[in-house]
Amino acid sequence: MASKYVGLFVLFQLLALNVLSQISAFPTPTASTDVADKTVYNRQLTEERPLQEQIAEADSVKAAVQSAEGKRSTASKGAESEQDLDDFTVLKSLADGQKSKETTELPLKKEGQYVPDESDSTKSRRLTEDYDSTKNGMDYDDTESFRQVDGTSLTAEDIVQKIANKIYEEDDRGVFDRIVSKLLKLGLITDSQADTLEYQVAEALQDLITKNAKNNEIDDVESNDEETRGEQEDQGSDTNKDTWEPPSRRYNKDEDDDEENDDEIEDEVDRDAEEEGDDKANKTWDKDAEEGNEVRPEDGLQDLQYFPNFYRLLSSLDSDQDTQERETLITIMKTLIDFVKMMVKYGTITPEEGVSYLENLDAMIAMQTKNKLGKALGPPDFTGPNGKNLDEDDNTKAEAAKMQKEYENLKDSTKEEQPSTETNQPGKSETYLEAIRKNIEWLKKHNKEEGKEDYDLSKLKDFMDQQVDSYIEKGIIAKDEGDTIKRIYSSL
Amino acid sequence: MKHFTSLVLFGAAVVALVSAAGSEGEISFEYHRYEELRKALVSVWLQCPTITRIYTIGESFEGRELLVLEMTDNPGTHEPGEPEFKYIANMHGNEAVGRELLIYLAQYLCNQYQQGNETVIDLVHNTRIHFMPSMNPDGFEKAASQPGEIKDWFVGRSNAQGVDLNRNFPDLDRIIYINEREGGANNHLLQNMKKAVDENTKLAPETKAVIHWIMDIPFVLSANLHGGDVVANYPYDETRTGSTHEYSSSPDDVMFKSLARAYSIYNPVMSDPNRAPCRKNDDDSSFKDGITNGGAWYSVPGGMQDFNYLSSNCFEITLELSCDKFPNEDTLKSYWEQNRNSLVNYIEQVHRGVKGFVPKDGDYWRLLAPGNYKVAASAPGYLTVIKKVAVSYSPATRVDFELESLMERKEEEREELMDWWKMMSETLNF
């Protein structure tokens, strides 16, 4: 049971990053992300080596590794000293010996850049500058290099920390993917090591986020939170220093996880429950909310009323033996909501995005429940998870009911007509229904925004009927599909 | 039951978290067979009926519709001043990634439009974008029907008649190269070809349909999606001397390089200078910054890309998007992520160069790289007008032309002469 939490929290962190990266705005032609990519790639050599050291059997390499304190190195521009280059050549030769045939090309190409000329110190300076020029003026950020100030290599923790920092700064989870895929491709780490690394990085990143969240807190920091966060950090570093246990893979529905993490994780869950108890985060949400933010936070459970499908799922679990399950689900859901709130608060996403995200979540729950449990939770909720439609209450509810009826009818009728593609049919009608619903919603919203009167439903209906007919004629849609679409529109 | 419900939530959370952000959740990343493709396009249309329209340019050999979804603010007509753009994929039926990407792209743009994405809204309002996810639906069915995960390198590539559609287009390169040596036109060769095309029995139905499409709609910019490698390829595809590898530049080589780069730059795999070749013995020495000249890579006669350019001055490049022609379904999402920004940015390239109006005759576009140009507008029976233009990277510079026909000019001159004569006679009293 608790092992699921492991997976879930890993999931949260990892997918949070995914979310972060996907929500970014359109890149401009001069986006620095490309440049960042280049620097990551150009630093291929330096990145590989420290990790290689972990798995290398060479004693000389091991001796060169000093245990670092886990603090970030802050070397200034062009600080590479002669000693660095010496160490570098040692490591390079070691690395070369261990690299596979395929990858010799890469270091060979780079060798040209890195030939250390000990006789002339100015030459080494210039190399660094050449190196810098690939960044198009970006500041030399030593968090990218995998060396300490004194030229020694970093330990596993440092590397993890560095990667986490980079991801946090660039707000791009793709950084990790790029690094790991390179390493995997070159055979420098195994799949399970990649998993472990992912786990470590995710934890480190979570620490970072909470650390920074603490620093950025607008309200008075309650000692409560500090303690809990402090504890969380300790927890994180503890697990970090643990032996490498393979983490549960993302999306792995068979959650065979180690039991050892149970205690720690349960503590985390309890702490989360405590956190939800206080309204602080909620207050901040209110403060930062712009108009149009529909999720009205009160305390705890009231949040969840805006997720009707989730609520239904909960109510379907009202037997005694399901209480724990219920609690679990509530906790998970609240964590998700808080997570979204935090993202909005820190401006990672806009409130509108947060709302639509949560709306989608609810819709997903309905779908997943149906798929997994083989039944619907109740009439699928088309009016959206929030109080938005309270004004047009009766109207939309009636529409929703109609649509639901329609849906039921469709299910039956299409099943009769085309038994051969039966499995597809309900899915298809659903998709069409879904698409039409989105269009209607958009029209409503669009017309409201532009101050126009409500869109002319009958005109739209006529237009769609016409189009459908012409499409049937041209063979773009089948007759029964066309009828379905017409029927949906006429029921609006 | 216990496990089920938390699995449900888990699954829902997973899917929602992964997908809801940025509306990616409304796209399901799986392969679409013909029926599914059709339905997916219909769904996009149902969701965005005011900005989309589905049409078909003809049927494949086995009778499947060659479906196109157009996206623009007033679908169904060419609006003066609105350039035409197209994406075509899957002309090789077993090169499946492009086909899927175009479906996802259509869904994505529709979603983004409704969510108020300004860039997308502008693009849709100012461009007429056509998506043809599959030019060879018959081939795709054949490729997709293979059992097991590993798909053969060739099965499903050609159309149902066994014709490789990307070698089936009239070879205009050959004519151009002859004209270069002996004098003659190097563009718009299609004007004399309509009859020849209709009577050509060697053309597959898919090829013919596309040629008619090109003749009907004045496409300005286009891209042709393939698989089997990762690079953006630009004209000319056929080498001048007929050798297998030779850089064969077109008169618009600078512009084409810029266009190809505009795609590759946003695709991290394509533009990765350290990317290993797809297969150990591949020769990718012509690839630079993720782009390559067609002839320099290998000579392709009768391809669609060059045909577009030489027949109607539609600038087309060929995009190879995946080392695997028909990769595993669970890789589709990552291909989408690699290509999404490139796909959108490439459409925006259509708004470059010069464009304008010629009264009574209509509108025109000419893609040009930044620089100073003399633009000449001419037509039979009209006097040529030349204007000097400084072209920036973007947006397109507007240059209108008023063409005066020879007849008009002669009339004017005659009238001027008469007026002068009249004035002279009045003054001098004769």
Side-chain angles (χ1 to χ4, degrees), chain A residues 4 8 11 15 19 22 26 28-29 34 251 321 325 329 357 361 369 432 435 439 442 471 476-477 481, chain B residues 2-3 5-6 8-10 14 16-18 26 38-39 42-43 45-47 49 54 114 117 265-266:
Chain A
K4 282 194 206 99
L8 199 55
L11 178 64
L15 296 178
V19 161
Q22 284 181 6
F26 261 105
T28 59
D34 267 15
Y251 313 130
Q321 68 211 60
E325 189 73 1
L329 291 173
Y357 168 97
L361 177 59
T369 315
Y432 285 359
N439 179 36
W442 176 76
Y471 281 7
I476 295 171
I477 61 183
E481 290 177 328
Chain B
K2 274 192 194 180
H3 291 281
T5 43
S6 45
V8 162
L9 189 56
F10 188 84
V14 163
L17 274 170
V18 166
E26 288 135 334
R38 194 175 57 76
K39 285 164 194 166
V42 171
S43 299
W45 170 66
L46 286 173
Q47 187 183 336
I54 305 179
Q114 290 188 332
N117 182 323
I265 199 175
Y266 288 107

Side-chain angles (χ1 to χ4, degrees), chain A residues 215-234:
Chain A
N215 296 337
N216 291 340
E217 277 286 274
I218 302 168
D219 292 343
D220 297 336
V221 178
E222 290 182 18
S223 55
N224 203 11
D225 283 0
E226 273 181 9
E227 279 164 12
T228 56
R229 287 205 180 87
E231 283 170 80
Q232 258 185 343
E233 280 171 24
D234 290 341

Side-chain angles (χ1 to χ4, degrees), chain B residues 24 68 95 120 182 226-227 253 257 259 262 322 380 392 419 429:
Chain B
E24 232 84 302
V68 179
E95 293 171 16
V120 172
E182 300 174 6
H226 286 249
D253 192 58
K257 290 222 265 278
L259 289 170
S322 59
S392 60
D419 287 339
N429 247 330

Side-chain angles (χ1 to χ4, degrees), chain A residues 11 14 26 33 48 84 87 94 122 127 156 191 212 242 273 303 335 369 391 427 435 452:
Chain A
L11 178 64
L14 297 173
F26 261 105
T33 44
E48 290 165 16
D84 289 3
D87 283 346
L94 274 161
T122 52
L127 282 170
D191 275 2
N212 283 301
D242 278 350
D303 259 348
T335 314
T369 315
D391 300 333
K452 286 194 263 205

Side-chain angles (χ1 to χ4, degrees), chain A residues 382-428:
Chain A
F382 287 116
T383 56
N386 48 49
K388 198 195 288 194
N389 293 317
L390 285 176
D391 300 333
E392 323 158 54
D393 213 334
D394 297 330
N395 194 14
T396 52
K397 274 206 175 127
E399 280 179 32
K402 269 194 225 156
M403 275 203 231
Q404 172 56 19
K405 234 186 276 165
E406 216 23 71
Y407 175 70
E408 307 286 9
N409 292 340
L410 289 175
K411 260 188 123 154
D412 295 333
S413 64
T414 52
K415 262 192 182 143
E416 286 159 13
E417 285 168 26
Q418 288 187 20
S420 54
T421 49
E422 189 209 87
T423 45
N424 259 336
Q425 286 305 323
K428 175 202 70 181

Side-chain angles (χ1 to χ4, degrees), chain B residues 364-411:
Chain B
Y364 79 93
W365 292 268
R366 182 59 162 94
L367 291 172
L368 292 170
N372 296 316
Y373 295 87
K374 280 192 207 158
V375 182
S378 57
Y382 287 81
L383 292 162
T384 304
V385 177
I386 301 181
K387 290 194 181 181
K388 278 196 185 153
V389 189
V391 176
S392 60
Y393 181 88
S394 160
T397 312
R398 169 87 177 257
V399 185
D400 294 336
F401 288 87
E402 285 228 22
L403 292 187
E404 196 181 17
S405 78
L406 285 167
M407 293 298 287
E408 277 174 26
R409 169 59 71 90
K410 286 209 173 88
E411 263 309 301

